[in-house]
Amino acid sequence: NAGVTQTPKFQVLKTGQSMTLQCAQDMNHEYMSWYRQDPGMGLRLIHYSVGAGITDQGEVPNGYNVSRSTTEDFPLRLLSAAPSQTSVYFCASRTGTGYQPQHFGDGTRLSIL
Amino acid sequence: AQSVTQLGSHVSVSEGALVLLRCNYSSSVPPYLFWYVQYPNQGLQLLLKYTSAATLVKGINGFEAEFKKSETSFHLTKPSAHMSDAAEYFCAVSAAGGGSNYKLTFGKGTLLTVNP
């Protein structure tokens, strides 16, 4: 029962570097999303996907790219890391029905120096 | 548009005391409402959800919440706090209907401290 798996758990980058945060779910969920969590800000939606091949922007999409080639995977790409992207990133998934709760991964703690 | 306001970023209670965490929402359509808990260095776990059935919702670990449409509130309560309840709690709203694709909007969180 893996649920939502995020890798890596921790990462330190230098400004300007790029990287991909991985997210995989084994529950055959249609909907997947990425959030960032910053102190005192709650969780803010970066990007989301309602199914393979379909993605859309959330509240704070700048500096991030996503794609969804399979139902299981939803990677988040930082093209050119900036210190303002230092945060904890959470991936979540749920079925296609809006009243179902989202299942969260354990997060990736990212520091940009 | 939808939004969530959690009153009090930090709540401190004694062990055995009542826990009350406040949440008010704004939504132009009937909402789905959720409470999540986050323990240190972990992801979010669902405590309970309101999906337009019963207005009093019971969740895990003895928590419950009451949906009050007239007050646009969904406060979380627990009669007797345990040390293990110390965590951060997030209220969230998802819009039912419309073109929002049921995006989840979170409040800023309330950190619960339980004193022995």
Side-chain angles (χ1 to χ4, degrees):
Chain A
N1 293 337
V4 178
T5 302
Q6 292 184 237
T7 57
K9 294 189 182 303
F10 303 93
Q11 184 70 47
V12 178
L13 293 178
K14 294 181 179 178
T15 298
Q17 288 185 315
S18 63
M19 81 160 294
T20 300
L21 308 185
Q22 301 291 345
C23 176
Q25 53 93 7
D26 61 359
M27 297 172 282
N28 201 31
H29 285 168
E30 299 94 331
Y31 185 98
M32 296 185 73
S33 53
W34 276 102
Y35 297 87
R36 60 177 289 172
Q37 182 180 25
D38 301 292
M41 300 293 292
L43 279 79
R44 293 180 291 171
L45 182 65
I46 304 172
H47 285 285
Y48 66 98
S49 169
V50 298
I54 306 170
T55 64
D56 205 348
Q57 296 181 351
E59 180 184 357
V60 288
N62 292 341
Y64 308 95
N65 276 359
V66 293
S67 60
R68 182 101 177 266
S69 57
T70 68
T71 299
E72 294 78 18
D73 300 301
F74 190 44
L76 178 71
R77 298 182 185 84
L78 282 70
L79 303 178
S80 179
S84 61
Q85 294 178 303
T86 294
S87 188
V88 182
Y89 292 85
F90 288 99
C91 179
S93 73
R94 61 163 169 80
T95 67
T97 309
Y99 60 80
Q100 293 298 336
Q102 295 198 28
H103 300 256
F104 285 82
D106 288 337
T108 294
R109 285 151 183 80
L110 183 62
S111 293
I112 316 296
L113 304 178
Chain B
Q2 58 196 39
S3 65
V4 174
T5 301
Q6 290 186 240
L7 300 176
S9 59
H10 188 191
V11 170
S12 182
V13 301
S14 297
E15 192 173 19
L18 171 72
V19 176
L20 171 60
L21 305 182
R22 300 178 187 273
C23 171
N24 288 90
Y25 70 91
S26 173
S27 176
S28 58
V29 295
Y32 301 135
L33 294 160
F34 306 84
W35 275 99
Y36 285 86
V37 60
Q38 184 181 33
Y39 299 102
N41 298 315
Q42 295 187 23
L44 277 71
Q45 301 175 29
L46 180 71
L47 271 179
L48 49 80
K49 64 181 181 181
Y50 167 76
T51 58
S52 75
T55 56
L56 182 62
V57 180
K58 294 187 183 298
I60 62 172
N61 301 338
F63 284 93
E64 63 181 35
E66 186 172 9
F67 173 70
K68 292 187 177 180
K69 183 178 179 180
S70 61
E71 299 177 7
T72 61
S73 69
F74 191 56
H75 301 332
L76 181 71
T77 61
K78 181 174 180 177
S80 177
H82 295 165
M83 297 295 291
S84 59
D85 294 327
E88 190 157 22
Y89 292 79
F90 293 94
C91 182
V93 61
S94 177
S100 66
N101 282 320
Y102 300 105
K103 288 180 285 188
L104 202 58
T105 299
F106 284 88
K108 294 184 177 181
T110 298
L111 182 64
L112 176 66
T113 300
V114 182
N115 303 307

